[in-house]
Amino acid sequence: AQLAVGVKKVKDAGATVEERTDGLTKPLSEMLGSWDDFTFAPIRESTVSRAMTRRYFADLDAHAETDIVIVGAGSCGLSAAYTLGTLRPDLKITIIEAGVAPGGGAWLGGQLFSAMVMRKPADVFLREIGVPFDDEGDYVVVKHAALFTSTVLSRVLAMDNVKMFNATTVEDLITRPSDEEGAAGVRIAGVVTNWTLVSMHHDDQSCMDPNTINAPVIISTTGHDGPFGAFSVKRLVSMKRLEQLEGMRGLDMQRAEDAIVKNTREIVPGLIVGGMELSEIDGANRMGPTFGAMALSGVKAAEEAIRVFDL
Ligand code: AHZ
């Protein structure tokens, strides 16, 4: 297991214990030696390639069968991943994110403004992951949305049981016949993936067959409709598991956030939908730049995924 950032192992009376290393106690250069004699340890180019590719393909192999897949690493998907990874270190969790940069729309608080607003009681999630905020009464403000996103991301990526494949798109869902919904019913049993750059070129390149991950439970948090968004629920319509999408309604902060958290649920067997993707099914309002519902929908989606997994 790798150590968390800011932690080192030290010998204490014969036993090995973990100790925080936050904060420089002396200039790092003292540990590096003199700048005049400075040089890196030797390397060969192929060593670097192998260091990356060996791990990537070992991860692909290990995660071809996974316990829970999270589609989309925005504020909702990352909150779900944190909750799942913390509550159930025994489960193998795979995050598939289409973008090179995970985080979805949560790098800014809204428009191009830095601060991120969360209505109470979503401050419980900020306390849990250790993000400081200004308490404004009914709501709290994180001084920069990137502080929230980078913190939850670093917590998630440090977990031994979580692997994120970014720059990778979920192109389709794997299905199996299911008795739970009658003869035509299906259970979602995994995802079909492709590198995003390949997904974007299906029209002008050939021979680009996808990859697959089998999993008994999927959490989809791909955001509201847009160039990439609402992927799983649109696919449920085209495979006739949903009659139609209601379509996200106009902005109403007051109503939107409660609705998203309340409606976070298993939509068809094996597929839980959270975050703004849900608004497309239910015709919920959008909430604009208030992120409490994304964090708590993620928490609820994770708890729901554990319930379905344990059935
Ligand atoms: O890249 C997408 C983003 O990072 C990713 N994604 C979408 N389709 C995908 C696919 N395969 C893999 N087929 C995919 N990844 O999903 C992520 C969605 O993040 P988001 O921030 O768009 O959604 P969210 O529901 O986590 O947060 C919504 C934030 C919003 S939108 C909004 C409004 O419009 O009013 N208000 C809030 C708080």
mmCIF file of all heavy atoms in Angstrom, residues 70-78 96-106 109 165 168-172 196 221-224 227-232 248 251 257 274-278 285-294, ligand 1:
data_model
loop_
_atom_site.group_PDB
_atom_site.id
_atom_site.type_symbol
_atom_site.label_atom_id
_atom_site.label_comp_id
_atom_site.label_asym_id
_atom_site.label_seq_id
_atom_site.Cartn_x
_atom_site.Cartn_y
_atom_site.Cartn_z
ATOM 1 N N ILE A 70 -18.024 3.674 -11.329
ATOM 2 C CA ILE A 70 -18.604 5.020 -11.285
ATOM 3 C C ILE A 70 -18.300 5.676 -12.627
ATOM 4 O O ILE A 70 -17.133 5.754 -13.037
ATOM 5 C CB ILE A 70 -18.005 5.855 -10.133
ATOM 6 C CG1 ILE A 70 -18.321 5.179 -8.792
ATOM 7 C CG2 ILE A 70 -18.549 7.291 -10.167
ATOM 8 C CD1 ILE A 70 -17.650 5.838 -7.598
ATOM 9 N N VAL A 71 -19.347 6.099 -13.315
ATOM 10 C CA VAL A 71 -19.168 6.737 -14.624
ATOM 11 C C VAL A 71 -19.242 8.246 -14.411
ATOM 12 O O VAL A 71 -20.280 8.781 -14.036
ATOM 13 C CB VAL A 71 -20.264 6.296 -15.625
ATOM 14 C CG1 VAL A 71 -19.924 6.816 -17.022
ATOM 15 C CG2 VAL A 71 -20.441 4.795 -15.623
ATOM 16 N N GLY A 72 -18.122 8.925 -14.669
ATOM 17 C CA GLY A 72 -18.085 10.386 -14.507
ATOM 18 C C GLY A 72 -17.476 10.782 -13.175
ATOM 19 O O GLY A 72 -17.948 10.351 -12.113
ATOM 20 N N ALA A 73 -16.411 11.586 -13.229
ATOM 21 C CA ALA A 73 -15.721 12.020 -12.004
ATOM 22 C C ALA A 73 -15.920 13.509 -11.775
ATOM 23 O O ALA A 73 -14.977 14.264 -11.596
ATOM 24 C CB ALA A 73 -14.241 11.672 -12.075
ATOM 25 N N GLY A 74 -17.191 13.948 -11.806
ATOM 26 C CA GLY A 74 -17.517 15.314 -11.403
ATOM 27 C C GLY A 74 -17.708 15.344 -9.892
ATOM 28 O O GLY A 74 -17.326 14.405 -9.174
ATOM 29 N N SER A 75 -18.329 16.425 -9.398
ATOM 30 C CA SER A 75 -18.473 16.560 -7.939
ATOM 31 C C SER A 75 -19.307 15.428 -7.361
ATOM 32 O O SER A 75 -19.020 14.927 -6.265
ATOM 33 C CB SER A 75 -19.088 17.915 -7.592
ATOM 34 O OG SER A 75 -20.184 18.217 -8.435
ATOM 35 N N CYS A 76 -20.319 14.959 -8.091
ATOM 36 C CA CYS A 76 -21.157 13.871 -7.569
ATOM 37 C C CYS A 76 -20.395 12.538 -7.603
ATOM 38 O O CYS A 76 -20.356 11.812 -6.607
ATOM 39 C CB CYS A 76 -22.457 13.774 -8.367
ATOM 40 S SG CYS A 76 -23.551 12.511 -7.707
ATOM 41 N N GLY A 77 -19.793 12.225 -8.741
ATOM 42 C CA GLY A 77 -19.076 10.952 -8.867
ATOM 43 C C GLY A 77 -17.930 10.847 -7.872
ATOM 44 O O GLY A 77 -17.705 9.785 -7.275
ATOM 45 N N LEU A 78 -17.190 11.937 -7.665
ATOM 46 C CA LEU A 78 -16.066 11.897 -6.724
ATOM 47 C C LEU A 78 -16.553 11.763 -5.287
ATOM 48 O O LEU A 78 -15.931 11.069 -4.475
ATOM 49 C CB LEU A 78 -15.196 13.149 -6.883
ATOM 50 C CG LEU A 78 -14.369 13.207 -8.174
ATOM 51 C CD1 LEU A 78 -13.672 14.561 -8.314
ATOM 52 C CD2 LEU A 78 -13.341 12.074 -8.232
ATOM 53 N N ILE A 96 -14.580 5.750 -14.324
ATOM 54 C CA ILE A 96 -14.307 6.028 -15.735
ATOM 55 C C ILE A 96 -14.670 7.487 -16.000
ATOM 56 O O ILE A 96 -15.822 7.882 -15.811
ATOM 57 C CB ILE A 96 -15.149 5.120 -16.671
ATOM 58 C CG1 ILE A 96 -14.976 3.640 -16.311
ATOM 59 C CG2 ILE A 96 -14.784 5.388 -18.139
ATOM 60 C CD1 ILE A 96 -13.611 3.069 -16.588
ATOM 61 N N GLU A 97 -13.700 8.266 -16.424
ATOM 62 C CA GLU A 97 -13.918 9.693 -16.669
ATOM 63 C C GLU A 97 -13.502 10.030 -18.095
ATOM 64 O O GLU A 97 -12.367 9.777 -18.498
ATOM 65 C CB GLU A 97 -13.124 10.526 -15.647
ATOM 66 C CG GLU A 97 -12.971 11.998 -15.993
ATOM 67 C CD GLU A 97 -14.285 12.711 -16.297
ATOM 68 O OE1 GLU A 97 -15.238 12.591 -15.511
ATOM 69 O OE2 GLU A 97 -14.348 13.412 -17.344
ATOM 70 N N ALA A 98 -14.434 10.627 -18.837
ATOM 71 C CA ALA A 98 -14.175 10.915 -20.253
ATOM 72 C C ALA A 98 -13.073 11.956 -20.444
ATOM 73 O O ALA A 98 -12.288 11.874 -21.391
ATOM 74 C CB ALA A 98 -15.469 11.394 -20.919
ATOM 75 N N GLY A 99 -13.017 12.931 -19.552
ATOM 76 C CA GLY A 99 -12.041 14.000 -19.721
ATOM 77 C C GLY A 99 -10.651 13.595 -19.273
ATOM 78 O O GLY A 99 -10.486 12.671 -18.467
ATOM 79 N N VAL A 100 -9.651 14.308 -19.779
ATOM 80 C CA VAL A 100 -8.305 14.127 -19.230
ATOM 81 C C VAL A 100 -8.304 14.633 -17.786
ATOM 82 O O VAL A 100 -7.740 13.999 -16.894
ATOM 83 C CB VAL A 100 -7.265 14.906 -20.075
ATOM 84 C CG1 VAL A 100 -5.906 14.922 -19.392
ATOM 85 C CG2 VAL A 100 -7.160 14.299 -21.473
ATOM 86 N N ALA A 101 -8.958 15.766 -17.547
ATOM 87 C CA ALA A 101 -9.006 16.350 -16.206
ATOM 88 C C ALA A 101 -10.282 15.939 -15.492
ATOM 89 O O ALA A 101 -11.366 16.332 -15.911
ATOM 90 C CB ALA A 101 -8.932 17.862 -16.292
ATOM 91 N N PRO A 102 -10.171 15.127 -14.434
ATOM 92 C CA PRO A 102 -11.370 14.811 -13.662
ATOM 93 C C PRO A 102 -11.851 16.050 -12.904
ATOM 94 O O PRO A 102 -11.093 16.997 -12.728
ATOM 95 C CB PRO A 102 -10.883 13.735 -12.679
ATOM 96 C CG PRO A 102 -9.408 13.791 -12.688
ATOM 97 C CD PRO A 102 -8.960 14.515 -13.907
ATOM 98 N N GLY A 103 -13.106 16.025 -12.472
ATOM 99 C CA GLY A 103 -13.626 17.156 -11.692
ATOM 100 C C GLY A 103 -14.898 17.739 -12.291
ATOM 101 O O GLY A 103 -15.635 18.460 -11.629
ATOM 102 N N GLY A 104 -15.173 17.437 -13.570
ATOM 103 C CA GLY A 104 -16.395 17.941 -14.203
ATOM 104 C C GLY A 104 -16.474 19.450 -14.077
ATOM 105 O O GLY A 104 -15.489 20.163 -14.300
ATOM 106 N N GLY A 105 -17.643 19.938 -13.662
ATOM 107 C CA GLY A 105 -17.865 21.383 -13.594
ATOM 108 C C GLY A 105 -17.460 22.011 -12.275
ATOM 109 O O GLY A 105 -17.832 23.155 -12.002
ATOM 110 N N ALA A 106 -16.698 21.288 -11.441
ATOM 111 C CA ALA A 106 -16.475 21.774 -10.071
ATOM 112 C C ALA A 106 -15.103 22.404 -9.853
ATOM 113 O O ALA A 106 -14.625 22.473 -8.729
ATOM 114 C CB ALA A 106 -16.696 20.625 -9.076
ATOM 115 N N GLY A 109 -16.784 27.877 -9.057
ATOM 116 C CA GLY A 109 -18.040 27.840 -8.317
ATOM 117 C C GLY A 109 -19.240 28.158 -9.176
ATOM 118 O O GLY A 109 -20.378 27.903 -8.804
ATOM 119 N N PHE A 165 -9.700 5.513 -14.463
ATOM 120 C CA PHE A 165 -9.228 5.569 -15.849
ATOM 121 C C PHE A 165 -9.787 6.860 -16.434
ATOM 122 O O PHE A 165 -10.984 6.940 -16.729
ATOM 123 C CB PHE A 165 -9.730 4.363 -16.649
ATOM 124 C CG PHE A 165 -9.161 3.045 -16.166
ATOM 125 C CD1 PHE A 165 -9.882 2.243 -15.307
ATOM 126 C CD2 PHE A 165 -7.907 2.625 -16.577
ATOM 127 C CE1 PHE A 165 -9.366 1.025 -14.852
ATOM 128 C CE2 PHE A 165 -7.377 1.412 -16.133
ATOM 129 C CZ PHE A 165 -8.111 0.610 -15.268
ATOM 130 N N THR A 168 -11.075 8.316 -20.770
ATOM 131 C CA THR A 168 -11.763 7.086 -21.175
ATOM 132 C C THR A 168 -13.277 7.317 -21.080
ATOM 133 O O THR A 168 -13.751 7.821 -20.064
ATOM 134 C CB THR A 168 -11.362 5.917 -20.238
ATOM 135 O OG1 THR A 168 -9.940 5.801 -20.236
ATOM 136 C CG2 THR A 168 -11.988 4.609 -20.670
ATOM 137 N N THR A 169 -13.973 6.979 -22.146
ATOM 138 C CA THR A 169 -15.416 7.246 -22.215
ATOM 139 C C THR A 169 -16.199 5.953 -22.070
ATOM 140 O O THR A 169 -15.805 4.929 -22.644
ATOM 141 C CB THR A 169 -15.749 7.884 -23.584
ATOM 142 O OG1 THR A 169 -15.115 9.158 -23.640
ATOM 143 C CG2 THR A 169 -17.248 8.060 -23.784
ATOM 144 N N VAL A 170 -17.299 6.002 -21.330
ATOM 145 C CA VAL A 170 -18.244 4.880 -21.364
ATOM 146 C C VAL A 170 -19.113 5.068 -22.606
ATOM 147 O O VAL A 170 -19.826 6.062 -22.733
ATOM 148 C CB VAL A 170 -19.094 4.806 -20.085
ATOM 149 C CG1 VAL A 170 -20.236 3.818 -20.244
ATOM 150 C CG2 VAL A 170 -18.211 4.406 -18.906
ATOM 151 N N GLU A 171 -18.993 4.121 -23.535
ATOM 152 C CA GLU A 171 -19.699 4.212 -24.820
ATOM 153 C C GLU A 171 -21.009 3.448 -24.810
ATOM 154 O O GLU A 171 -21.866 3.658 -25.666
ATOM 155 C CB GLU A 171 -18.848 3.597 -25.936
ATOM 156 C CG GLU A 171 -17.660 4.396 -26.331
ATOM 157 C CD GLU A 171 -17.059 3.876 -27.635
ATOM 158 O OE1 GLU A 171 -17.291 2.707 -28.031
ATOM 159 O OE2 GLU A 171 -16.340 4.651 -28.261
ATOM 160 N N ASP A 172 -21.111 2.475 -23.920
ATOM 161 C CA ASP A 172 -22.337 1.671 -23.882
ATOM 162 C C ASP A 172 -22.424 0.964 -22.539
ATOM 163 O O ASP A 172 -21.470 0.978 -21.751
ATOM 164 C CB ASP A 172 -22.349 0.644 -25.031
ATOM 165 C CG ASP A 172 -23.777 0.271 -25.445
ATOM 166 O OD1 ASP A 172 -24.723 0.605 -24.687
ATOM 167 O OD2 ASP A 172 -23.944 -0.354 -26.498
ATOM 168 N N THR A 196 -11.243 8.200 -24.960
ATOM 169 C CA THR A 196 -12.106 9.291 -25.420
ATOM 170 C C THR A 196 -11.695 9.777 -26.810
ATOM 171 O O THR A 196 -12.551 10.048 -27.663
ATOM 172 C CB THR A 196 -12.078 10.459 -24.408
ATOM 173 O OG1 THR A 196 -12.509 9.944 -23.149
ATOM 174 C CG2 THR A 196 -12.973 11.597 -24.836
ATOM 175 N N THR A 221 -22.977 9.209 -13.084
ATOM 176 C CA THR A 221 -23.051 10.620 -12.668
ATOM 177 C C THR A 221 -22.432 11.469 -13.779
ATOM 178 O O THR A 221 -21.437 12.145 -13.557
ATOM 179 C CB THR A 221 -22.277 10.846 -11.343
ATOM 180 O OG1 THR A 221 -20.892 10.518 -11.558
ATOM 181 C CG2 THR A 221 -22.807 10.000 -10.214
ATOM 182 N N THR A 222 -23.021 11.395 -14.971
ATOM 183 C CA THR A 222 -22.388 12.053 -16.124
ATOM 184 C C THR A 222 -22.895 13.478 -16.372
ATOM 185 O O THR A 222 -22.612 14.058 -17.418
ATOM 186 C CB THR A 222 -22.544 11.203 -17.408
ATOM 187 O OG1 THR A 222 -23.924 11.161 -17.782
ATOM 188 C CG2 THR A 222 -22.043 9.790 -17.218
ATOM 189 N N GLY A 223 -23.644 14.022 -15.421
ATOM 190 C CA GLY A 223 -24.082 15.415 -15.560
ATOM 191 C C GLY A 223 -25.301 15.560 -16.466
ATOM 192 O O GLY A 223 -25.799 14.590 -17.030
ATOM 193 N N HIS A 224 -25.797 16.791 -16.577
ATOM 194 C CA HIS A 224 -26.977 17.007 -17.434
ATOM 195 C C HIS A 224 -26.585 16.982 -18.904
ATOM 196 O O HIS A 224 -25.396 16.942 -19.249
ATOM 197 C CB HIS A 224 -27.744 18.273 -17.038
ATOM 198 C CG HIS A 224 -26.946 19.537 -17.113
ATOM 199 N ND1 HIS A 224 -26.522 20.091 -18.299
ATOM 200 C CD2 HIS A 224 -26.514 20.372 -16.143
ATOM 201 C CE1 HIS A 224 -25.867 21.211 -18.056
ATOM 202 N NE2 HIS A 224 -25.833 21.402 -16.743
ATOM 203 N N PRO A 227 -22.507 18.001 -24.526
ATOM 204 C CA PRO A 227 -21.675 17.227 -25.469
ATOM 205 C C PRO A 227 -21.431 15.804 -24.990
ATOM 206 O O PRO A 227 -21.423 14.860 -25.759
ATOM 207 C CB PRO A 227 -20.374 18.027 -25.526
ATOM 208 C CG PRO A 227 -20.688 19.378 -25.013
ATOM 209 C CD PRO A 227 -21.886 19.255 -24.118
ATOM 210 N N PHE A 228 -21.190 15.614 -23.673
ATOM 211 C CA PHE A 228 -20.960 14.283 -23.135
ATOM 212 C C PHE A 228 -22.061 13.842 -22.187
ATOM 213 O O PHE A 228 -22.216 12.665 -21.922
ATOM 214 C CB PHE A 228 -19.647 14.239 -22.338
ATOM 215 C CG PHE A 228 -18.444 13.920 -23.158
ATOM 216 C CD1 PHE A 228 -17.415 14.835 -23.275
ATOM 217 C CD2 PHE A 228 -18.333 12.705 -23.802
ATOM 218 C CE1 PHE A 228 -16.289 14.541 -24.033
ATOM 219 C CE2 PHE A 228 -17.217 12.399 -24.556
ATOM 220 C CZ PHE A 228 -16.188 13.319 -24.673
ATOM 221 N N GLY A 229 -22.800 14.762 -21.603
ATOM 222 C CA GLY A 229 -23.607 14.473 -20.417
ATOM 223 C C GLY A 229 -24.789 13.547 -20.617
ATOM 224 O O GLY A 229 -25.154 13.198 -21.734
ATOM 225 N N ALA A 230 -25.369 13.144 -19.479
ATOM 226 C CA ALA A 230 -26.590 12.333 -19.410
ATOM 227 C C ALA A 230 -26.443 11.044 -20.217
ATOM 228 O O ALA A 230 -27.417 10.527 -20.759
ATOM 229 C CB ALA A 230 -27.808 13.144 -19.876
ATOM 230 N N PHE A 231 -25.214 10.506 -20.248
ATOM 231 C CA PHE A 231 -24.967 9.376 -21.135
ATOM 232 C C PHE A 231 -25.870 8.171 -20.834
ATOM 233 O O PHE A 231 -26.554 7.651 -21.720
ATOM 234 C CB PHE A 231 -23.485 8.930 -21.066
ATOM 235 C CG PHE A 231 -23.316 7.614 -21.735
ATOM 236 C CD1 PHE A 231 -23.292 7.543 -23.113
ATOM 237 C CD2 PHE A 231 -23.299 6.436 -20.995
ATOM 238 C CE1 PHE A 231 -23.218 6.319 -23.750
ATOM 239 C CE2 PHE A 231 -23.223 5.211 -21.626
ATOM 240 C CZ PHE A 231 -23.183 5.156 -23.010
ATOM 241 N N SER A 232 -25.854 7.704 -19.587
ATOM 242 C CA SER A 232 -26.534 6.427 -19.292
ATOM 243 C C SER A 232 -28.043 6.548 -19.462
ATOM 244 O O SER A 232 -28.687 5.631 -19.973
ATOM 245 C CB SER A 232 -26.214 5.960 -17.874
ATOM 246 O OG SER A 232 -24.825 5.767 -17.740
ATOM 247 N N MET A 248 -34.200 18.307 -18.228
ATOM 248 C CA MET A 248 -33.931 19.206 -17.102
ATOM 249 C C MET A 248 -34.735 20.497 -17.250
ATOM 250 O O MET A 248 -34.775 21.097 -18.315
ATOM 251 C CB MET A 248 -32.426 19.515 -17.074
ATOM 252 C CG MET A 248 -31.994 20.405 -15.942
ATOM 253 S SD MET A 248 -30.212 20.701 -15.986
ATOM 254 C CE MET A 248 -30.046 21.713 -17.460
ATOM 255 N N LEU A 251 -33.933 26.896 -13.889
ATOM 256 C CA LEU A 251 -33.228 26.993 -12.610
ATOM 257 C C LEU A 251 -34.167 27.370 -11.464
ATOM 258 O O LEU A 251 -34.935 28.330 -11.576
ATOM 259 C CB LEU A 251 -32.092 28.016 -12.734
ATOM 260 C CG LEU A 251 -31.069 28.050 -11.605
ATOM 261 C CD1 LEU A 251 -29.706 28.470 -12.154
ATOM 262 C CD2 LEU A 251 -31.482 28.991 -10.487
ATOM 263 N N GLU A 257 -32.146 21.266 -5.445
ATOM 264 C CA GLU A 257 -31.179 20.475 -4.663
ATOM 265 C C GLU A 257 -31.872 19.371 -3.869
ATOM 266 O O GLU A 257 -31.385 18.239 -3.806
ATOM 267 C CB GLU A 257 -30.371 21.388 -3.748
ATOM 268 C CG GLU A 257 -29.402 22.253 -4.539
ATOM 269 C CD GLU A 257 -28.184 22.629 -3.727
ATOM 270 O OE1 GLU A 257 -28.262 23.625 -2.990
ATOM 271 O OE2 GLU A 257 -27.181 21.917 -3.826
ATOM 272 N N GLY A 274 -27.008 9.458 -10.145
ATOM 273 C CA GLY A 274 -26.898 10.564 -9.188
ATOM 274 C C GLY A 274 -26.495 11.851 -9.883
ATOM 275 O O GLY A 274 -26.159 11.862 -11.069
ATOM 276 N N GLY A 275 -26.517 12.945 -9.136
ATOM 277 C CA GLY A 275 -26.093 14.254 -9.656
ATOM 278 C C GLY A 275 -27.034 14.775 -10.722
ATOM 279 O O GLY A 275 -28.201 14.382 -10.806
ATOM 280 N N MET A 276 -26.536 15.651 -11.576
ATOM 281 C CA MET A 276 -27.409 16.337 -12.532
ATOM 282 C C MET A 276 -27.922 15.434 -13.644
ATOM 283 O O MET A 276 -28.883 15.789 -14.335
ATOM 284 C CB MET A 276 -26.698 17.557 -13.121
ATOM 285 C CG MET A 276 -26.683 18.747 -12.175
ATOM 286 S SD MET A 276 -28.316 19.124 -11.510
ATOM 287 C CE MET A 276 -29.023 20.020 -12.873
ATOM 288 N N GLU A 277 -27.316 14.263 -13.841
ATOM 289 C CA GLU A 277 -27.857 13.323 -14.838
ATOM 290 C C GLU A 277 -29.304 12.970 -14.492
ATOM 291 O O GLU A 277 -30.144 12.771 -15.373
ATOM 292 C CB GLU A 277 -26.980 12.053 -14.899
ATOM 293 C CG GLU A 277 -27.443 11.067 -15.960
ATOM 294 C CD GLU A 277 -26.462 9.945 -16.237
ATOM 295 O OE1 GLU A 277 -25.385 9.901 -15.612
ATOM 296 O OE2 GLU A 277 -26.787 9.101 -17.094
ATOM 297 N N LEU A 278 -29.575 12.933 -13.186
ATOM 298 C CA LEU A 278 -30.927 12.597 -12.711
ATOM 299 C C LEU A 278 -31.987 13.575 -13.184
ATOM 300 O O LEU A 278 -33.140 13.192 -13.427
ATOM 301 C CB LEU A 278 -30.937 12.670 -11.189
ATOM 302 C CG LEU A 278 -30.829 11.421 -10.366
ATOM 303 C CD1 LEU A 278 -30.907 11.832 -8.919
ATOM 304 C CD2 LEU A 278 -31.921 10.425 -10.701
ATOM 305 N N ASN A 285 -35.492 20.629 -11.693
ATOM 306 C CA ASN A 285 -34.875 21.920 -12.010
ATOM 307 C C ASN A 285 -33.363 21.812 -11.908
ATOM 308 O O ASN A 285 -32.845 20.956 -11.212
ATOM 309 C CB ASN A 285 -35.345 22.986 -11.006
ATOM 310 C CG ASN A 285 -36.825 23.238 -11.103
ATOM 311 O OD1 ASN A 285 -37.604 22.678 -10.342
ATOM 312 N ND2 ASN A 285 -37.209 24.083 -12.046
ATOM 313 N N ARG A 286 -32.667 22.718 -12.575
ATOM 314 C CA ARG A 286 -31.237 22.863 -12.304
ATOM 315 C C ARG A 286 -31.086 23.798 -11.114
ATOM 316 O O ARG A 286 -31.998 24.573 -10.798
ATOM 317 C CB ARG A 286 -30.491 23.367 -13.529
ATOM 318 C CG ARG A 286 -30.770 24.809 -13.869
ATOM 319 C CD ARG A 286 -30.265 25.168 -15.229
ATOM 320 N NE ARG A 286 -28.844 24.865 -15.365
ATOM 321 C CZ ARG A 286 -28.129 25.218 -16.448
ATOM 322 N NH1 ARG A 286 -28.713 25.888 -17.420
ATOM 323 N NH2 ARG A 286 -26.867 24.942 -16.537
ATOM 324 N N MET A 287 -29.913 23.707 -10.455
ATOM 325 C CA MET A 287 -29.730 24.556 -9.271
ATOM 326 C C MET A 287 -28.681 25.623 -9.472
ATOM 327 O O MET A 287 -28.490 26.460 -8.608
ATOM 328 C CB MET A 287 -29.395 23.729 -8.031
ATOM 329 C CG MET A 287 -27.996 23.182 -7.947
ATOM 330 S SD MET A 287 -27.790 21.824 -9.095
ATOM 331 C CE MET A 287 -28.951 20.642 -8.495
ATOM 332 N N GLY A 288 -27.993 25.607 -10.638
ATOM 333 C CA GLY A 288 -26.925 26.585 -10.804
ATOM 334 C C GLY A 288 -25.782 26.268 -9.846
ATOM 335 O O GLY A 288 -25.615 25.130 -9.424
ATOM 336 N N PRO A 289 -25.026 27.306 -9.452
ATOM 337 C CA PRO A 289 -23.766 27.044 -8.748
ATOM 338 C C PRO A 289 -23.896 26.822 -7.241
ATOM 339 O O PRO A 289 -23.239 27.484 -6.451
ATOM 340 C CB PRO A 289 -22.956 28.299 -9.052
ATOM 341 C CG PRO A 289 -23.986 29.354 -9.173
ATOM 342 C CD PRO A 289 -25.195 28.723 -9.776
ATOM 343 N N THR A 290 -24.734 25.890 -6.824
ATOM 344 C CA THR A 290 -24.733 25.447 -5.426
ATOM 345 C C THR A 290 -24.489 23.943 -5.458
ATOM 346 O O THR A 290 -25.210 23.211 -6.131
ATOM 347 C CB THR A 290 -26.060 25.753 -4.700
ATOM 348 O OG1 THR A 290 -27.131 25.257 -5.488
ATOM 349 C CG2 THR A 290 -26.221 27.223 -4.454
ATOM 350 N N PHE A 291 -23.462 23.487 -4.738
ATOM 351 C CA PHE A 291 -22.936 22.140 -4.949
ATOM 352 C C PHE A 291 -23.294 21.139 -3.854
ATOM 353 O O PHE A 291 -22.859 19.990 -3.905
ATOM 354 C CB PHE A 291 -21.418 22.207 -5.111
ATOM 355 C CG PHE A 291 -20.998 22.693 -6.479
ATOM 356 C CD1 PHE A 291 -20.957 24.051 -6.771
ATOM 357 C CD2 PHE A 291 -20.678 21.794 -7.483
ATOM 358 C CE1 PHE A 291 -20.579 24.498 -8.034
ATOM 359 C CE2 PHE A 291 -20.302 22.232 -8.747
ATOM 360 C CZ PHE A 291 -20.250 23.593 -9.020
ATOM 361 N N GLY A 292 -24.084 21.565 -2.851
ATOM 362 C CA GLY A 292 -24.398 20.640 -1.751
ATOM 363 C C GLY A 292 -25.097 19.384 -2.237
ATOM 364 O O GLY A 292 -24.820 18.266 -1.769
ATOM 365 N N ALA A 293 -26.017 19.541 -3.199
ATOM 366 C CA ALA A 293 -26.764 18.375 -3.687
ATOM 367 C C ALA A 293 -25.848 17.399 -4.409
ATOM 368 O O ALA A 293 -26.100 16.187 -4.391
ATOM 369 C CB ALA A 293 -27.891 18.822 -4.617
ATOM 370 N N MET A 294 -24.788 17.909 -5.036
ATOM 371 C CA MET A 294 -23.877 16.997 -5.744
ATOM 372 C C MET A 294 -23.126 16.132 -4.735
ATOM 373 O O MET A 294 -23.010 14.916 -4.909
ATOM 374 C CB MET A 294 -22.882 17.789 -6.599
ATOM 375 C CG MET A 294 -23.528 18.578 -7.716
ATOM 376 S SD MET A 294 -24.544 17.559 -8.807
ATOM 377 C CE MET A 294 -26.171 18.196 -8.440
HETATM 378 O O1 AHZ B 1 -16.532 14.456 -18.429
HETATM 379 C C1 AHZ B 1 -17.748 14.355 -17.705
HETATM 380 C C2 AHZ B 1 -17.685 15.026 -16.327
HETATM 381 O O2 AHZ B 1 -16.377 15.018 -15.781
HETATM 382 C C3 AHZ B 1 -18.033 12.905 -17.299
HETATM 383 N N1 AHZ B 1 -18.715 12.113 -18.364
HETATM 384 C C4 AHZ B 1 -19.796 12.476 -19.093
HETATM 385 N N2 AHZ B 1 -20.154 11.488 -19.958
HETATM 386 C C5 AHZ B 1 -19.280 10.476 -19.745
HETATM 387 C C6 AHZ B 1 -19.107 9.179 -20.314
HETATM 388 N N3 AHZ B 1 -18.087 8.405 -19.871
HETATM 389 C C7 AHZ B 1 -17.247 8.863 -18.889
HETATM 390 N N4 AHZ B 1 -19.939 8.703 -21.272
HETATM 391 C C8 AHZ B 1 -18.353 10.874 -18.718
HETATM 392 N N5 AHZ B 1 -17.367 10.079 -18.305
HETATM 393 O O3 AHZ B 1 -18.947 13.022 -16.218
HETATM 394 C C9 AHZ B 1 -18.588 14.159 -15.440
HETATM 395 C C10 AHZ B 1 -19.886 14.873 -15.029
HETATM 396 O O4 AHZ B 1 -19.545 15.903 -14.164
HETATM 397 P P1 AHZ B 1 -20.500 17.187 -13.995
HETATM 398 O O5 AHZ B 1 -19.780 18.147 -13.123
HETATM 399 O O6 AHZ B 1 -20.956 17.647 -15.330
HETATM 400 O O7 AHZ B 1 -21.818 16.556 -13.273
HETATM 401 P P2 AHZ B 1 -22.257 16.432 -11.740
HETATM 402 O O8 AHZ B 1 -23.638 15.904 -11.775
HETATM 403 O O9 AHZ B 1 -21.220 15.719 -10.910
HETATM 404 O O10 AHZ B 1 -22.245 17.951 -11.246
HETATM 405 C C11 AHZ B 1 -23.130 18.865 -11.832
HETATM 406 C C12 AHZ B 1 -22.741 20.239 -11.377
HETATM 407 C C13 AHZ B 1 -23.812 21.252 -11.637
HETATM 408 S S1 AHZ B 1 -24.444 21.524 -13.161
HETATM 409 C C14 AHZ B 1 -25.480 22.727 -12.533
HETATM 410 C C15 AHZ B 1 -26.422 23.469 -13.413
HETATM 411 O O11 AHZ B 1 -26.284 23.364 -14.652
HETATM 412 O O12 AHZ B 1 -27.302 24.151 -12.873
HETATM 413 N N6 AHZ B 1 -25.348 22.885 -11.244
HETATM 414 C C16 AHZ B 1 -24.414 22.073 -10.706
HETATM 415 C C17 AHZ B 1 -24.082 22.101 -9.252
#
